[in-house]
Amino acid sequence: PPRTLPPITGNACALGYDFGTSGVRCAIVDASGEIVANPPGYSWGVAGERAQEASDWEEALFSQLAALPADARARVSRIAVSGTSGSMLIVDGDGAPAASRGSPRMYDFSVSKQAVGDSGEAALALLRRCTPEGHPVRSATSALAKLLAYHFESPLAGSERLAHQADYVASRLTGGAIASDWHNALKLGFDVRALRYPEWLTGGEIGEIA
């Protein structure tokens, strides 16, 4: 359900992370929107922009956190994490990367070109059969296409879960369970108007998998 959070007030601050295509930046802002701390960014390097491991995300996360002044960190009462849309991985029941599933699939990973064997084509064929014409999930780089391609490579286990980049990073920062938001779930098929997953996703052929 929707949550409404009151604005931060007084001495409290918010910490924001941006995991982008070239690197990671973070900043702490106060209740008036003024920047309190903004350390130099973390760069993936040219080779790392499209080939990343979950451990790279964690290294960037905690490197940026350590670069923030302790007094500024102590004022943080809200945290937000933004990741590259469509970047995802499969995690096990404990929230750790599923070892058998390999590296994360980045925002530009195309199941039609990069998925193993004919798993990508099988995923796209299923999406064409079961999803509305023109829906974003039909893209070969959508999170749902990547999830289905994983399944056609090797059937998803009951304990396996999809985690978007921002979902995974936030869980590592808070120590909590993997959770997502509307923005990340959009390319998974979430209906942001009705605030629910549509019936074509939760039922039928796709529902039996996802």
Side-chain angles (χ1 to χ4, degrees), residues 20-198:
T21 56
S22 60
V24 180
R25 297 188 65 87
C26 73
I28 293 177
V29 298
D30 64 18
S32 70
E34 291 294 317
I35 296 176
V36 175
N38 183 21
Y42 181 101
S43 174
W44 301 123
V46 175
E49 288 186 10
R50 290 178 172 81
Q52 297 169 16
E53 300 294 336
S55 58
D56 297 325
W57 299 348
E58 294 184 46
E59 180 181 339
L61 169 71
F62 293 113
S63 173
Q64 286 285 279
L65 185 64
L68 294 167
D71 58 337
R73 292 202 309 267
R75 296 169 57 187
V76 171
S77 63
R78 302 278 173 79
I79 300 173
V81 179
S82 171
T84 49
S85 180
S87 295
M88 51 81 74
L89 75 164
I90 300 296
V91 298
D92 61 23
D94 295 324
S100 64
R101 295 296 182 174
S103 302
R105 295 189 166 175
M106 300 302 294
Y107 61 94
D108 60 349
F109 182 99
S110 171
V111 300
S112 64
K113 299 176 182 178
Q114 296 168 270
V116 175
D118 61 358
S119 60
E121 289 305 322
L124 294 175
L126 178 57
L127 291 172
R128 287 192 294 269
R129 288 197 306 273
C130 300
T131 64
E133 184 72 30
H135 198 286
V137 297
R138 288 194 172 199
S139 166
T141 59
S142 77
L144 184 55
K146 293 168 187 170
L147 177 65
L148 294 175
Y150 271 124
H151 174 77
F152 286 118
E153 289 172 19
S154 176
L156 293 165
S159 60
E160 290 184 315
R161 297 289 183 272
L162 178 151
H164 302 94
Q165 183 183 45
D167 306 340
Y168 182 81
V169 169
S171 75
R172 285 298 182 255
L173 187 61
T174 64
I178 298 286
S180 195
D181 59 31
W182 306 342
H183 173 266
N184 284 297
L186 178 64
K187 288 190 176 181
L188 194 59
F190 188 77
D191 187 334
V192 295
R193 291 190 178 92
L195 299 183
R196 61 178 176 81
Y197 286 104

